[in-house]
Structures are given as C-alpha cells and as structure tokens.
C-alpha cells in the first residue's frame, strides 16, 4: 500500500473537483470486481491524504508532498489514536433512503458499531459536524448531493489486527468517493 499526501492545483477546490483529481492521479482506481483500491481525505487547505493499493501517476510532480510505501502491521493489544471524517448514515427500511445520524451520542454509537469488530474504543469524541454539497460543474445546484460529515477522534485498543487492517483498507461508512471514511491511525507508545 501507499501513503500519499498531495497538494491539489489551485483551480481544484470543490468536492467534485477533488474527487476527479484523485481518481485521475491514482492508476487503475477500481478493479474488475468493482472494489475501490484507494481512499482519500480532503483537508480543506488544498491537501489530500490518500491510501492506495497502487502508486500514483507521475510521482515526480511537485504537488506530491509525501509518497511512501507501507504495510499495515497492527498488533493485538496495541493502542492507537484514530482520526476519521465519516458520513454516519443509516438506511430507512420503508423508504430505502439513507438518513444522516443526528446528535453526538447517536453519532458516537454509529462509530462504535463500525469499529467494534476491530477493537474497543477507550475514548472517542466528535470534533465537528457539517455538510458538503457535491455537484458537477455546469449543472444546476438543484442537482447537487448534500452529504453530512462528522470528524471523529479517539483512542482504540486493537482486539483483532486483521479486522483493523480491513477497516483501514476499505474505510467506514458511505461517501468514500468524496473523501469520507478513511481511518487514520497512529500507534501510541
């Protein structure tokens, strides 16, 4: 896997623009089975963090800030600081539509449900909540999709290294194509 931090060009600032930029940057973004081979997170300062199974195109470009190969190696019982911007949503059974989860307590419960297979959360908090509008340039704003997002941080103790690696590779929640769901971890000594 590769860990990449890249600065977007000045003319790329919308969610759709960042989405297109990342898709163009990473080779073969989707395999024949339809599985995405990368996740990304947009940091609003023009910097995008990417975890990818394939190397980016043209790694010599000046907009690539960090490019490093890594192999996830999680240990049972190890303690990690985590950070994630996710779209906590649930499917309504009757309407079959996704509904954003409101309220900090419910949002933390949603996160706990998604992380419980990999470990136990020692502490977690919501840094911020918001929404972003995603639409193609040239289309009316009535065609935009509004996506709710929550920025979480916390401490997790790894109970199942394979499950934790799976979460890092596949992400959590929906709207991954627009920079949500990438789980960032840093081991605490």
């Amino acid at each position: 896997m590769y860990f990449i931090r890249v600065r977007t060009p000045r003319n790329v600032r919308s969610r759709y623009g960042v989405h297109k930029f990342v898709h163009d940057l990473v080779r073969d973004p989707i395999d024949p089975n339809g599985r995405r081979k990368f996740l990304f997170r947009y940091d609003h300062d023009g910097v995008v963090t990417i975890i990818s199974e394939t190397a980016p195109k043209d790694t010599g470009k000046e907009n690539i800030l960090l490019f490093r190969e890594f192999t996830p190696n999680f240990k049972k019982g190890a303690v990690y600081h985590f950070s994630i911007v996710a779209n906590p949503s649930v499917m309504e059974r009757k309407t079959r539509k996704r509904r954003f989860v409101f309220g900090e307590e419910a949002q933390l419960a949603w996160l706990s449900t998604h992380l419980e297979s990999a470990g136990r959360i020692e502490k977690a908090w919501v840094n911020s909540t918001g929404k972003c509008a995603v639409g193609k340039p040239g289309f009316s704003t009535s065609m935009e999709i509004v996506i709710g997002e929550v920025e979480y941080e916390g401490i997790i103790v790894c109970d199942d290294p394979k499950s934790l690696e799976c979460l890092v590779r596949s992400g959590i929640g929906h709207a991954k194509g627009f920079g949500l769901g990438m789980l960032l971890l840093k081991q605490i000594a």
Side-chain angles (χ1 to χ4, degrees), residues 4 8 13 20 28 34 43-44 52 57 61 63 75 86 92 94 97 99 108 111 118 130 143 164 175 180 182 188:
I4 308 153
T8 59
R13 290 294 181 258
K20 186 166 177 4
D28 303 325
D43 293 331
H44 295 290
S52 174
K57 295 177 189 172
K61 286 187 174 181
N63 60 346
K75 304 269 191 261
E92 296 234 349
K94 288 182 182 179
K97 291 185 179 181
R99 179 181 55 78
L108 288 169
L111 177 69
M143 298 291 287
L164 190 56
L180 303 178
M182 186 171 86
I188 300 173

Side-chain angles (χ1 to χ4, degrees), residues 100-114:
F100 183 72
V101 175
F102 287 97
E104 189 170 325
E105 189 175 318
Q107 291 166 344
L108 288 169
W110 178 91
L111 177 69
S112 180
T113 300
H114 284 79

Side-chain angles (χ1 to χ4, degrees), residues 6-138:
V6 61
R7 184 169 306 285
T8 59
R10 291 189 191 279
N11 63 337
V12 176
R13 290 294 181 258
S14 71
R15 278 292 171 114
Y16 179 76
V18 172
H19 161 87
K20 186 166 177 4
F21 172 77
V22 172
H23 280 256
D24 290 345
L25 181 70
V26 182
R27 285 189 207 120
D28 303 325
I30 299 177
D31 73 10
N33 298 325
R35 190 177 64 87
R36 188 178 312 281
K37 292 185 177 184
F38 67 91
L39 295 167
F40 72 96
R41 178 176 172 170
Y42 179 57
D43 293 331
H44 295 290
D45 58 354
V47 175
V48 179
T49 304
I50 305 167
I51 294 176
S52 174
E53 291 183 19
T54 57
K57 295 177 189 172
D58 238 336
T59 56
K61 286 187 174 181
E62 69 276 354
N63 60 346
I64 294 186
L65 307 171
L66 177 68
F67 173 71
R68 137 179 115 205
E69 204 169 338
F70 81 99
T71 304
N73 186 20
F74 302 113
K75 304 269 191 261
K76 185 174 177 140
V79 181
Y80 298 91
H81 174 266
F82 70 84
S83 172
I84 182 171
V85 179
N87 170 246
S89 58
V90 292
M91 179 74 78
E92 296 234 349
R93 288 184 186 188
K94 288 182 182 179
T95 62
R96 304 281 303 153
K97 291 185 179 181
R98 293 221 145 270
R99 179 181 55 78
F100 183 72
V101 175
F102 287 97
E104 189 170 325
E105 189 175 318
Q107 291 166 344
L108 288 169
W110 178 91
L111 177 69
S112 180
T113 300
H114 284 79
L115 292 178
E116 69 187 3
S117 65
R120 63 185 183 282
I121 297 176
E122 291 289 308
K123 188 171 157 181
W125 59 92
V126 170
N127 281 340
S128 65
T129 61
K131 59 185 176 181
C132 65
V134 179
K136 276 187 171 184

